[in-house]
Amino acid sequence: MPSREEVAYFGAGPAPLPTTVLTKGAQAFVNYEDTGLSLAEISHRSATANQILADTKAALTSLLSIPDNYEILFMHGGGTGEFSAVVFNMVAFWAEKRRQAAVNRLGADENKVLETVRQELNEELRLDYLVTGSWSLKASQEAANLLEPLGKGLVNVALDARAGNNGKFGVIPPEETWNLTKSKAEGGPGSAFVYWCENETVDGIEMPGFPACLDSTQGKSEDAPLVVADMSSNFLSRSIDVSRYAVIFGGAQKNIGITDVTIVIVRKDVLSNIPSTPFLHALGIWSPPAILNWPVIAKNNSLMNTMPIFSIWIAGEVMRGLISNHRSLAGQEKIANAKAKAIYNALDKYPHIYQVVPNKTVRSRMNICFRVQGGEASEEKKFLDGAEANMLQGLKGHRSVGGIRVSNYNAVPMENVDRLIAYLEEFAHNHST
C-alpha cells in the first residue's frame, strides 16, 4: 500500500489538499479541540460553528482584500447550482432597478409601474455570456432554459469561442469581435450582466485577465455591465481586484477545500435590491428558491439550513495556510505560474509526442490539457498506464474530450511537478521515432 508521499495526484476535482490540513482535519473529525465532539457532529447554530464561519470569512477577506461593500456566502449546490442562482438573483436585481426607475418617473401607481417594467422586460432584458469552454456553455444553456417561459433571445452569447476554431474550444477571440449587448449610451438596452468562467477545467483554457473592454466601463455609468465570474478552478491561485465584479463564485473542491461548499462573494447592493415576490410573479419571473436566494442566505449568515461546518473549517484552514505561507496571493500566484511554466516547457520540448490543446495565449495554469501523438488511443493508454506505474495519478482527461489533463492546483507541490516532468521526458525518449 503506497504512502501519501509516494503518490503524486493531479486530479481535476476533488483535488489534492495540503497534508497538514488533512492531518489536522483528521483530529477535528474525531474530537474537535478536545470538546469530545466531531466537527461533523456539532450544531450548525452553535457558537463554535458561528466562529468557524466568521474565521473563514475573515481569512478570505484578508487574502482577496474584499471591500466592505461585499458579502461572503457559503452555499450548497456547487458551481452548477450557481448557474441557476445567478439567473434567479441577477434578473430579480435587474427587475428591481427597473421598478425603482419607473416609480421615480410615474409615481406610486402600481399598475402603471408593473406594465412599464413588463414592457421593458419583453424588449430589453438581456444576459450576456462569454462562452469560452464547457462550463460557461452549460451556464448559458441553463440561463436559456430558465428564461424560456419569458421568451427567446434573452440570453446573448456574446462570444462562442468555438466559432472559427473548427467547432472546438481552445482560443479566446479578440475583444473587438465580441458581440456584447450595447449599453443605453450606445443605443442599446444594456445587459443585466456579463458572465464568464475564469478557468475552464475541461478544455484547459484560462482568461488571461479582466477584459479591457469591460474594465474601461466599470463605475463610469449606471448602465455599465455587472460582471459575474465563475472562479471555481482558479480561485485563490492569483490576485484579483474584487471591486471589478458584482458576483464571484466557486465550488470549494479545487483550490479551497472539499466538496459540499460553494463560496459566493456578492456586492451588497445586489442583496438589498430584490423586488417582492408578488411583483416578480406578476412579471412572470420566478422568485429565487430559498436555497439559492442570496439575500435569504445572507440574512441567515449562511445558516438558513444545515451547512457542512467541517467542510467550511477545512476551507478556512487552507486559507489560513496561504496567509501563513505567503501573506497575500502574490506568493501563491508566483508558485502556480512557475509550476505551469515548467510543465508546458516540458510538453513543448517534444511537439512530435505531446500536443497542447489550447492556444498559447489562453493556456490554463490550473488544468493543462494535451494529447499524446495526436490523440492516438493506444498511445494515450500507454502514457496513462506508465504514469500509474510511477504513482502519477489523476491524469486522464475529462470524459467529454479525452486526452490527458494535469491539474496543477495550489496543493500540488513542486516536487510532484518535477516527478511528472521526469516521466514526460522518459516517455518522450522511449517513444521517439
Side-chain angles (χ1 to χ4, degrees), residues 206-243:
E206 187 172 21
M207 273 280 192
F210 197 94
C213 64
L214 295 173
D215 195 27
S216 63
T217 65
Q218 294 306 294
K220 294 187 178 178
S221 68
E222 278 204 13
D223 72 335
L226 300 174
V227 172
V228 178
D230 175 359
M231 295 190 184
S232 291
S233 54
N234 68 352
F235 208 31
L236 303 187
S237 71
R238 65 183 181 187
S239 302
I240 61 168
D241 181 355
V242 173
S243 67

Side-chain angles (χ1 to χ4, degrees), residues 77-407:
T80 302
E82 291 307 307
F83 295 170
S84 302
V86 164
V87 176
F88 284 126
N89 289 277
M90 295 302 289
V91 169
F93 178 64
W94 178 93
E96 176 60 11
K97 288 196 300 181
R98 295 305 180 102
R99 189 196 69 80
Q100 291 175 9
V103 168
N104 289 337
R105 295 195 310 271
L106 303 171
D109 188 323
E110 294 183 1
N111 290 329
K112 286 185 178 180
V113 168
L114 176 61
E115 287 307 311
T116 297
V117 178
R118 182 181 285 143
Q119 182 177 350
E120 290 178 352
L121 185 151
N122 293 332
E123 296 175 356
E124 299 184 5
L125 177 62
R126 296 294 183 276
L127 282 57
D128 283 358
Y129 280 76
L130 305 181
V131 175
T132 57
S134 299
W135 291 114
S136 50
L137 175 62
K138 287 179 182 292
S140 70
Q141 292 169 338
E142 177 71 351
N145 288 337
L146 290 174
L147 294 178
E148 188 171 3
L150 297 178
K152 301 284 187 180
L154 302 183
V155 174
N156 172 43
V157 176
L159 158 66
D160 186 339
R162 296 170 296 181
N165 194 48
N166 299 317
K168 296 181 179 181
F169 294 118
V171 299
I172 298 179
E175 292 181 22
E176 57 265 27
T177 67
W178 300 359
N179 185 32
L180 294 166
T181 300
K182 290 183 179 180
S183 67
K184 288 196 170 185
E186 297 169 320
S191 62
F193 60 82
V194 180
Y195 177 107
W196 69 76
C197 178
E198 288 260 329
N199 185 75
E200 295 279 3
T201 58
V202 173
D203 310 285
I205 297 162
E206 187 172 21
M207 273 280 192
F210 197 94
C213 64
L214 295 173
D215 195 27
S216 63
T217 65
Q218 294 306 294
K220 294 187 178 178
S221 68
E222 278 204 13
D223 72 335
L226 300 174
V227 172
V228 178
D230 175 359
M231 295 190 184
S232 291
S233 54
N234 68 352
F235 208 31
L236 303 187
S237 71
R238 65 183 181 187
S239 302
I240 61 168
D241 181 355
V242 173
S243 67
R244 287 168 160 172
Y245 303 83
V247 182
I248 295 167
F249 71 84
Q253 70 275 11
K254 312 289 188 180
N255 272 329
I256 309 169
I258 57 180
T259 57
D260 263 356
V261 177
T262 309
I263 294 175
V264 181
I265 304 169
V266 57
R267 223 169 58 193
K268 288 180 179 178
D269 64 308
V270 175
L271 299 174
S272 61
N273 286 284
I274 300 294
S276 68
T277 297
F279 183 79
L280 284 175
H281 290 179
L283 290 173
I285 299 174
W286 295 343
S287 56
I291 198 68
L292 299 177
N293 191 312
W294 295 336
V296 169
I297 301 300
K299 183 179 178 180
N300 288 276
N301 190 31
S302 298
L303 296 173
M304 187 201 72
N305 67 337
T306 308
M307 283 302 294
I309 299 301
F310 178 74
S311 300
I312 295 172
W313 178 85
I314 288 285
E317 286 295 305
V318 170
M319 295 172 193
R320 286 185 284 276
L322 289 172
I323 293 170
S324 175
N325 292 333
H326 307 295
R327 294 191 179 180
S328 70
L329 287 179
Q332 181 59 47
E333 181 175 6
K334 184 177 180 180
I335 292 171
N337 292 350
K339 290 189 297 175
K341 182 178 180 181
I343 296 170
Y344 280 121
N345 284 346
L347 293 170
D348 290 340
K349 186 177 176 181
Y350 303 99
H352 59 296
I353 302 293
Y354 308 119
Q355 295 82 43
V356 177
V357 175
N359 184 276
K360 280 189 176 183
T361 59
V362 294
R363 285 179 173 181
S364 170
R365 300 163 307 125
M366 296 289 102
N367 306 101
I368 297 163
C369 297
F370 63 96
R371 307 308 299 246
V372 177
Q373 295 199 342
E376 175 61 42
S378 61
E379 291 301 310
E380 292 190 336
K381 185 178 186 302
K382 287 178 186 176
F383 179 90
L384 291 170
D385 288 346
E388 287 283 339
N390 282 275
M391 296 293 180
L392 304 170
Q393 299 182 3
L395 292 170
K396 190 174 182 179
H398 191 272
R399 63 187 182 278
S400 64
V401 295
I404 315 298
R405 174 171 57 176
V406 179
S407 292

Side-chain angles (χ1 to χ4, degrees), residues 31-52:
N31 185 355
Y32 179 65
E33 294 188 347
D34 296 323
T35 60
L37 290 174
S38 165
L39 270 185
E41 297 172 324
I42 67 167
S43 169
H44 63 295
R45 303 198 187 281
S46 65
T48 298
N50 276 270
Q51 189 60 54
I52 287 170

